């Protein structure tokens, strides 16, 4: 069984910063990528940023230049540094890891951490 534990969410003023962390544990055989997604009230879950095991990154246009994703494959951890936060960044942020298990893709999600940007 694979478990993901997120931390680092909270309340921050516009223009502020937060750093999210996600640690995965359990039977992870082949890690392909890690990522962060978010879901605001009344909206669908959307991709924020991803990083492959090789270090390639991808960002949503709305966060490019403000957010930075990083990861540690050896420790199965992924981070999201969020700067210049805006009220529209308010959402529940979810960590996801993409793996290969017995030759099949297997994705795992965390429980989510709330980020609220408000004055």
């Amino acid at each position: 069984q694979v478990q993901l534990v997120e931390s680092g969410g909270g309340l921050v003023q516009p223009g502020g910063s937060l750093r999210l962390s996600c640690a995965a544990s359990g039977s992870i055989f082949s890690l392909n990528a890690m990522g962060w997604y978010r879901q605001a009230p009344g909206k669908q879950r959307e991709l924020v940023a991803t990083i492959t095991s090789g270090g390639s990154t991808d960002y949503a246009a709305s966060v490019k230049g403000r957010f930075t994703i990083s990861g540690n494959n050896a420790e199965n951890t992924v981070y999201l540094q969020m700067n210049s936060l805006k009220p529209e960044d308010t959402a529940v942020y979810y960590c996801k890891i993409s793996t290969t298990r017995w030759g099949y893709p297997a994705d795992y999600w965390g429980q989510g951490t709330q980020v609220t940007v408000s004055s």
Side-chain angles (χ1 to χ4, degrees):
Q1 193 69 301
V2 176
Q3 291 185 327
L4 278 66
V5 177
E6 299 129 330
S7 61
L11 173 64
V12 64
Q13 292 187 341
S17 298
L18 281 175
R19 185 174 188 247
L20 304 183
S21 301
C22 174
S25 61
S27 302
I28 300 171
F29 294 104
S30 179
L31 181 65
N32 299 320
M34 298 180 285
W36 290 95
Y37 294 71
R38 67 186 181 187
Q39 187 166 18
K43 294 188 177 182
Q44 290 189 334
R45 191 173 297 188
E46 63 176 2
L47 180 146
V48 176
T50 60
I51 183 167
T52 68
S53 58
S56 297
T57 59
D58 189 28
Y59 295 91
S62 59
V63 307
K64 198 170 292 186
R66 300 188 298 123
F67 291 10
T68 302
I69 189 170
S70 60
N72 185 323
N73 293 340
E75 297 182 357
N76 294 324
T77 55
V78 61
Y79 307 95
L80 185 68
Q81 178 65 43
M82 305 185 293
N83 298 328
S84 303
L85 283 160
K86 305 175 181 180
E88 50 264 43
D89 294 319
T90 295
V92 178
Y93 283 69
Y94 297 90
C95 171
K96 172 188 167 183
I97 64 168
S98 299
T99 71
T100 301
R101 186 178 179 90
W102 304 113
Y104 295 93
D107 295 341
Y108 302 93
W109 292 87
Q111 292 289 90
T113 184
Q114 177 70 46
V115 171
T116 302
V117 184
S118 174
S119 56

